[in-house]
């Protein structure tokens, strides 16, 4: 039911639902859920910014700009698997950002 909702609303494409979610994938899902807001941020401060996939750049810019992702030891680690703790922190920050708008 949750997967159907995510696909229907455009939050996820529904592919590979049993695979781990990367940090850039989760940021993209949150960004889409929030309506794909514009972000003027930049990823240039992160040495691994070039490893962010093209489809995730806007979402990652937004996530950095809003503080949803702050990096880990100076890196974004976009292809790293999102841990439960990271996912919970990102979701909490997203909810806080939504309440501040």
């Amino acid at each position: 039911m949750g997967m159907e909702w995510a696909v229907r609303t455009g939050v996820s494409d529904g592919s590979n639902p049993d695979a781990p979610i990367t940090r850039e994938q989760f940021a993209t899902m949150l960004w889409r859920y929030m309506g794909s807001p514009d972000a003027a941020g930049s990823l240039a401060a992160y040495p691994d910014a070039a490893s962010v996939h093209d489809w995730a750049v806007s979402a990652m810019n937004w996530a950095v700009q809003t503080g949803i992702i702050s990096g880990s030891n100076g890196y974004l680690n976009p292809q790293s698997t999102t841990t439960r703790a990271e996912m919970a922190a990102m979701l909490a920050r997203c909810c806080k950002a939504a309440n501040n708008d």
Side-chain angles (χ1 to χ4, degrees):
M1 188 155 170
M3 172 62 78
E4 292 169 6
W5 171 86
V7 171
R8 185 176 63 251
T9 60
V11 169
S12 173
D13 64 7
S15 62
N16 208 0
D18 295 324
I21 297 174
T22 65
R23 291 167 53 89
E24 71 181 359
Q25 287 172 328
F26 192 60
T28 300
M29 293 170 85
L30 292 174
W31 175 71
R32 289 176 180 164
Y33 177 75
M34 297 297 289
S36 305
D38 290 333
S42 171
L43 304 177
Y46 297 93
D48 58 347
S51 65
V52 174
H53 287 105
D54 290 342
W55 52 262
V57 170
S58 294
M60 292 293 282
N61 275 325
W62 169 80
V64 167
Q65 179 183 345
T66 57
I68 291 168
I69 288 182
S70 56
S72 177
N73 296 320
Y75 289 84
L76 289 170
N77 302 316
Q79 277 83 49
S80 295
T81 300
T82 308
T83 66
R84 287 185 210 173
E86 290 171 332
M87 197 172 283
M90 291 170 67
L91 185 55
R93 292 177 192 141
C94 184
C95 290
K96 184 177 179 182
N99 289 330
N100 289 333
D101 287 343

